[in-house]
């Protein structure tokens, strides 16, 4: 029969229906085949019917689904699919369902034929004309499908996303059958069913989108399986294993149980979890916006809040370490906008109002995670800092607003005096300004690099064309040298090792800054700092919980382990790279007039250097020891006898490198703004 229909279509012009096809449609041949398939009589008939439907829809070019005598038996056959797991017809069932999904993807409006609304049908029978009663097939025609069968009517009671059982008032049998087949023990069937669901969530029909999220078990499937895979993970895992396990694409996780177990315990469970997470992420990325939001919210409520939050809030150090490493890996892997937003809201909350020191506990998880950056366990501190570093690299404005920017909006970290209230200049400078020429920390500034412009003390490198100076390069060199000369000569060791100069940071800073600018371009950040006249300078300044912990950690750089220092400076350098004028001013302007009681990154480093200069003289042979430690860190010297004060020496090396990195960032950002300014 199929060969005759294909041959007939090939012999006729496109769109013309031949007598054989007309006979098939008008005499309800497909209904008859469905009846035989449902009864599976003779045995094996269901398999043959499914195969025939699949080939008919796949090989006939003219649109068949709009015909009532096609889409009605197709809908009935869909209900038979997935009824029995591991059935002998599973392969034919999934092929049939996938060809239907493919046809709907080509013509999305056809999906309305596959939405059933029993309550709506019952309610409208009393109100419709007698003609509709006489013709019970009327609601299934193409003309009525968009109205009478649409589940978006305001008369339909709304279902909640939390329903684990489909609402009996609305049926989306195509989705239900695919969901049943995702539970098949055959992995190939599961992958095909997941592909079919991905096609359906991308359909732009509002009625189908609402029915999908409110009246099917799709949300339940995604979240329950995600939760079960997460709960199957070992309670204790090495964070390095979690970070370095190969990236997983859903449906492609070919594995060998013996090999996985030999690498590390729990690898198979971890790959299964990450694979399903990838599927959820890709499904949400492909879904229509309203469906994506509903699915992502379900993941947040039923997985993040219900399953992950208790793990992150626990007191067991082993549990905290494992769950934080998993959260970091989740952040790294999530790429869909809707799921990323819900992940961020879960971690940081949704508040964007300026932080106060009394209100830092309003979002308990956010508060706990930030506190973990300064945990007694160095491992937990490092892992949590890595998690935040991963977070800062995601394209979400809310992350930066919540963690840092909301505390800097009013620029009340700076002291502002109107022009007529400023004190007279002494030798070209305000009498209470810091004279870096007399400061012993800056005694190694060469005469050419010393400060000569009083304007430089009251502003960062010129941001406006009207403030631009002819010696713009000299201006940025002053900032660069401020950072480069922070560490005194006797505490420097990089000049004695080849290839460790300040210029080595320039290329990385340029690349990273360019990447950040690409991400931040769509956020409409102001190009210049908010004018002081428009700022609320009277409100007390609080740097924010996140910056407070980072600055506290930075202030202890001489007494902390090397790995902790590397992670703290790495997070701060990421923040310094951001092209926001207030953050740039607060982190990279050495000459900002700080308000009383406020501290900036530069001020924190100055205090560290002051402490360092007092401690240097108490350590005999400080410089040779410092050079030896640097060479050991670089692998240029073998590990030998233990060196005393090694934590301090490693801290000095990190401090010197961090100052060079900040100098490079300031240089790159200044020249980028200079090249783009009119």
């Amino acid at each position: 029969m199929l060969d005759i229909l294909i041959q007939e279509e090939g012999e006729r012009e496109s769109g013309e229906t031949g007598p054989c096809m007309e006979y098939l449609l008008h005499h309800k041949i497909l209904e008859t085949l469905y009846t035989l398939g449902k009864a599976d009589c003779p045995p094996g008939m269901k398999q043959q019917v499914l195969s025939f439907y699949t080939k008919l829809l796949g090989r006939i070019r003219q649109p068949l689904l709009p015909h009532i005598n096609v889409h009605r038996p197709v809908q009935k056959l869909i209900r038979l699919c997935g009824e029995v797991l591991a059935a002998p017809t599973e392969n034919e069932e999934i092929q049939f369902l996938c060809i239907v999904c493919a046809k709907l993807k080509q013509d999305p409006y056809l999906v309305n034929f596959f939405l059933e609304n029993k309550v709506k049908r019952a309610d409208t029978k009393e109100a419709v004309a007698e003609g509709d009663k006489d013709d019970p097939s009327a609601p299934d025609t193409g003309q009525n499908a968009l109205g009478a069968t649409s589940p978006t009517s305001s008369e339909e009671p709304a279902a909640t996303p939390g329903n684990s059982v489909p609402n009996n008032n609305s049926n989306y049998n195509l989705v239900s059958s695919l969901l049943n087949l995702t539970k098949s023990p055959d992995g190939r069937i599961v992958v095909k069913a997941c592909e079919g669901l991905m096609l359906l969530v991308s359909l732009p029909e509002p009625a189908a989108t609402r029915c999908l999220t409110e009246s099917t078990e799709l949300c339940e499937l995604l979240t329950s399986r995600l939760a079960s895979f997460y709960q199957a993970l070992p309670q204790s895992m090495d964070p390095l294993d979690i970070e370095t396990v190969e990236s997983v694409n859903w449906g492609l996780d070919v594995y060998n149980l013996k090999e996985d177990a030999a690498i590390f315990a729990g690898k198979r469970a971890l790959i299964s979890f990450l694979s399903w997470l990838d599927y959820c992420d890709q499904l949400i990325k492909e879904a229509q916006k309203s469906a994506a939001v509903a699915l992502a919210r379900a993941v947040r409520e039923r997985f993040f809040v219900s399953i992950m939050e208790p793990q992150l809030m626990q007191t067991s150090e082993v549990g905290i370490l494992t769950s934080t490493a998993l959260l970091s890996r989740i952040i790294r892997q999530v790429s869909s906008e809707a799921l990323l937003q819900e992940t961020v809201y879960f971690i940081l909350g949704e508040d964007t109002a300026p932080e106060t020191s009394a209100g830092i506990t309003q979002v308990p998880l956010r508060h706990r995670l930030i506190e973990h950056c300064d945990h007694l366990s160095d491992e937990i501190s490092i892992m949590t800092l890595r998690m935040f570093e991963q977070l800062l690299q995601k394209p979400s404005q809310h992350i930066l607003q919540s963690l840092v920017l909301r505390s800097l909006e009013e620029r009340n970290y700076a002291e502002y005096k109107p022009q007529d209230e400023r004190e007279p200049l002494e030798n070209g400078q305000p009498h209470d300004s810091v004279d870096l020429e007399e400061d012993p920390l800056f005694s190694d500034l060469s005469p050419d690099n010393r400060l000569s412009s009083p304007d430089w003390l009251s502003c960062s490198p010129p941001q406006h064309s009207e403030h631009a100076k002819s010696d713009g390069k000299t201006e940025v060199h002053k900032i660069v040298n401020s950072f480069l000369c922070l560490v005194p000569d006797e505490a420097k060791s990089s000049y004695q090792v080849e290839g460790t100069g300040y210029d080595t940071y320039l290329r990385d800073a340029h690349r990273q800054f360019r990447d950040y600018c690409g991400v931040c371009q769509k956020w409409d950040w102001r190009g210049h700092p908010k004018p002081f006249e428009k700022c609320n300078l009277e409100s007390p300044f609080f740097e924010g919980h996140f910056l407070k912990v980072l600055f506290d950690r930075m202030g202890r750089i001489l007494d902390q382990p090397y790995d902790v220092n590397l992670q703290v400076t790495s997070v701060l350098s990421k923040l310094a790279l951001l092209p926001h004028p207030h953050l740039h001013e607060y982190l990279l302007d050495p000459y900002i007039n700080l308000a009383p009681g406020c501290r900036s990154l530069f001020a924190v480093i100055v205090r560290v250097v002051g402490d360092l200069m007092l401690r240097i003289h108490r350590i005999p042979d400080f410089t040779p020891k410092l050079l030896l430690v640097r060479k050991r860190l670089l692998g240029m010297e073998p590990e030998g006898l233990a060196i005393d004060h090694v934590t301090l020496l490693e801290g000095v090396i990190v401090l010197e490198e961090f100052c060079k990195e900040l100098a490079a960032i300031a240089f790159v950002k200044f020249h980028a703004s200079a090249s783009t300014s009119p």
Side-chain angles (χ1 to χ4, degrees):
M1 192 194 315
L2 184 64
D3 291 340
I4 293 171
L5 293 170
I6 293 171
Q7 183 180 349
E8 179 185 69
E9 186 180 48
E11 293 171 353
R12 294 180 175 273
E13 293 183 9
S14 177
E16 186 179 346
T17 304
C20 296
M21 181 60 76
E22 286 189 6
Y23 185 88
L24 178 86
L25 298 174
H26 292 161
H27 288 77
K28 301 185 178 180
I29 302 297
L30 295 179
E31 286 277 5
T32 304
L33 288 173
Y34 158 73
T35 305
L36 294 171
K38 182 180 181 182
D40 199 22
C41 182
M45 193 62 186
K46 182 180 178 182
Q47 199 168 13
Q48 293 301 319
V49 170
L50 285 164
S51 182
F52 176 77
Y53 271 68
T54 303
K55 291 174 182 176
L56 181 71
L57 293 174
R59 295 187 186 179
I60 298 297
R61 293 191 300 275
Q62 62 177 302
L64 295 178
L65 283 177
H67 293 278
I68 189 170
N69 289 329
V70 176
H71 70 72
R72 175 173 286 173
V74 166
Q75 170 76 310
K76 291 177 181 177
L77 194 58
I78 286 171
R79 294 189 199 120
L80 297 182
C81 298
E83 284 185 325
V84 181
L85 289 184
T89 56
E90 254 191 354
N91 198 44
E92 287 74 17
E93 288 174 12
I94 194 63
Q95 288 180 0
F96 165 65
L97 294 175
C98 284
I99 197 68
V100 175
C101 292
K103 290 296 176 183
L104 296 182
K105 183 68 175 175
Q106 290 175 8
D107 298 298
Y109 77 93
L110 294 174
V111 74
N112 292 282
F113 293 124
F114 298 92
L115 304 179
E116 292 183 339
N117 187 343
K118 296 177 182 177
V119 167
K120 187 68 178 13
R121 286 185 180 181
D123 291 344
T124 54
K125 279 184 180 179
E126 298 176 3
V128 295
E130 287 296 323
D132 285 342
K133 289 187 177 181
D134 296 336
D135 183 7
S137 66
D140 285 329
T141 62
Q143 288 77 14
N144 292 327
L146 293 172
T149 64
S150 171
T152 58
S153 167
S154 60
E155 296 175 30
E156 179 195 348
T160 62
N163 287 348
S164 60
V165 179
N167 188 326
N168 291 329
N169 298 331
S170 300
N171 286 334
Y172 196 166
N173 291 314
L174 184 53
V175 173
S176 300
S177 295
L178 287 169
L179 289 173
N180 286 336
L181 287 171
T182 61
K183 302 166 187 173
S184 168
D186 188 336
R188 294 169 300 174
I189 301 293
V190 174
V191 170
K192 282 284 187 185
C194 289
E195 288 173 351
L197 290 170
M198 197 170 284
L199 286 174
L200 293 180
V201 297
S202 67
L203 299 180
E205 290 292 313
T209 298
R210 185 179 176 201
C211 194
L212 182 84
T213 55
E214 296 184 357
S215 303
T216 73
E217 292 183 350
L218 181 59
C219 291
E220 175 70 18
L221 168 82
L222 295 183
T223 54
S224 63
R225 194 166 292 187
L226 202 57
S228 62
F229 281 135
Y230 183 86
Q231 289 166 336
L233 295 170
Q235 290 295 309
S236 172
M237 297 178 73
D238 187 336
L240 189 61
D241 289 336
I242 296 171
E243 283 189 14
T244 57
V245 71
E246 59 271 17
S247 59
V248 180
N249 295 320
W250 73 275
L252 298 177
D253 55 330
V254 179
Y255 58 91
N256 183 304
L257 282 174
K258 289 184 179 178
E259 289 182 8
D260 288 348
I263 294 172
F264 66 87
K267 182 182 179 184
R268 167 69 347 233
L270 179 60
I271 288 177
S272 296
F273 169 72
L274 294 176
S275 176
W276 189 250
L277 174 69
D278 182 59
Y279 176 69
C280 296
D281 186 44
Q282 295 302 319
L283 186 78
I284 292 170
K285 185 185 286 187
E286 292 295 325
Q288 285 299 301
K289 188 170 183 180
S290 57
V293 169
L295 292 168
R297 191 165 294 140
V299 172
R300 174 186 172 186
E301 292 170 358
R302 300 185 204 168
F303 172 65
F304 284 133
V305 174
S306 301
I307 307 298
M308 282 208 74
E309 186 167 352
Q311 295 293 312
L312 293 163
M313 296 289 283
Q314 66 181 304
T315 54
S316 162
E317 291 191 1
V318 172
I320 292 171
L321 195 59
T322 302
S323 56
T324 306
L326 285 166
L327 180 61
S328 181
R329 182 62 194 252
I330 289 169
I331 293 167
R332 190 175 98 194
Q333 190 160 317
V334 167
S335 60
S336 63
E337 186 177 345
L339 187 54
L340 175 61
Q341 178 174 296
E342 293 298 332
T343 306
V344 171
Y345 285 165
F346 160 67
I347 297 170
L348 303 178
E350 301 182 36
D351 191 17
T352 56
E355 267 188 282
T356 61
S357 55
I360 59 175
T361 59
Q362 284 182 344
V363 183
L365 180 61
R366 178 186 189 273
H367 175 260
R368 182 70 64 89
L369 288 172
I370 293 176
E371 285 292 308
H372 284 173
C373 293
D374 198 1
H375 198 275
L376 287 173
S377 163
D378 292 331
E379 277 189 293
I380 289 176
S381 295
I382 292 169
M383 193 64 252
T384 312
L385 286 164
R386 280 183 188 161
M387 185 274 293
F388 277 109
E389 185 178 12
Q390 200 69 244
L391 202 58
L392 290 171
Q393 296 176 67
K394 304 304 286 189
S396 170
Q397 186 176 6
H398 183 76
I399 295 170
L400 301 166
Q401 190 67 30
S402 174
L403 287 176
V404 287
L405 295 181
R406 59 175 171 163
S407 300
L408 308 179
E409 285 295 328
E410 299 301 325
R411 296 179 72 193
N412 43 356
Y413 48 82
E415 187 173 39
Y416 170 67
K417 293 181 180 178
Q419 192 67 38
D420 54 354
E421 293 181 17
R422 291 181 186 173
E423 299 180 14
L425 301 179
E426 294 182 7
N427 299 323
Q429 295 183 356
H431 81 275
D432 58 347
S433 67
V434 178
D435 189 349
L436 298 185
E437 293 185 28
E438 297 176 3
D439 194 314
L441 296 181
F442 293 88
S443 58
D444 52 355
L445 276 167
S446 65
D448 293 338
N449 290 333
R450 289 180 178 173
L451 303 178
S452 57
S453 170
D455 295 329
W456 183 245
L457 293 171
S458 59
C459 66
S460 301
Q463 301 279 344
H464 308 254
S465 56
E466 63 263 30
H467 292 153
K469 307 266 182 85
S470 58
D471 59 345
K473 289 186 177 179
T474 306
E475 299 290 355
V476 74
H477 284 164
K478 292 175 182 176
I479 278 195
V480 169
N481 284 320
S482 296
F483 282 109
L484 291 180
C485 299
L486 260 177
V487 179
D489 276 350
E490 57 264 40
K492 290 181 179 177
S493 55
S494 60
Y495 66 93
Q496 299 187 55
V497 179
E498 190 175 347
T500 57
Y502 143 78
D503 54 318
T504 57
Y505 288 97
L506 285 173
R507 182 174 296 176
D508 283 343
H510 176 73
R511 176 182 54 77
Q512 292 174 20
F513 181 64
R514 183 187 60 210
D515 292 344
Y516 269 122
C517 286
V519 171
C520 302
Q521 213 166 20
K522 59 183 178 182
W523 294 343
D524 195 30
W525 279 350
R526 60 174 75 240
H528 312 299
K530 184 178 178 180
F532 277 118
E533 293 79 6
K534 297 181 179 179
C535 293
N536 180 17
L537 298 176
E538 299 303 317
S539 61
F541 175 67
F542 175 57
E543 57 215 354
H545 193 194
F546 187 58
L547 281 177
K548 177 185 182 301
V549 169
L550 289 177
F551 282 1
D552 289 347
R553 274 291 197 185
M554 191 67 209
R556 303 198 300 270
I557 193 170
L558 301 179
D559 303 298
Q560 292 173 158
Y562 179 70
D563 290 335
V564 173
N565 287 336
L566 285 182
Q567 200 57 55
V568 171
T569 54
S570 179
V571 173
L572 283 168
S573 66
K574 292 286 188 302
L575 291 173
L577 278 162
L578 291 165
H580 191 283
H582 295 177
L583 198 55
H584 174 88
E585 177 181 56
Y586 188 57
L587 296 182
L588 289 177
D589 188 353
Y591 304 105
I592 184 174
N593 291 319
L594 290 171
C598 297
R599 58 179 178 173
S600 66
L601 179 57
F602 189 83
V604 172
I605 298 175
V606 166
R607 290 192 187 99
V608 172
V609 171
D611 180 38
L612 171 64
M613 292 183 72
L614 294 174
R615 296 166 71 174
I616 281 177
H617 304 294
R618 302 174 191 164
I619 302 174
D621 301 321
F622 177 83
T623 303
K625 288 178 180 176
L626 185 66
L627 183 58
L628 179 60
V629 169
R630 175 179 280 273
K631 288 183 175 180
R632 284 185 178 179
L633 290 173
L634 292 172
M636 299 169 65
E637 287 281 343
E639 291 293 330
L641 297 174
I643 302 174
D644 54 349
H645 306 288
V646 68
T647 301
L648 171 68
L649 296 170
E650 289 175 341
V652 172
I653 292 167
V654 174
L655 180 65
E656 182 188 356
E657 295 303 311
F658 183 50
C659 288
K660 290 192 294 184
E661 187 175 13
L662 291 176
I665 291 170
F667 184 84
V668 165
K669 289 178 79 172
F670 177 81
H671 280 278
S673 64
S675 63
T676 56
S677 60

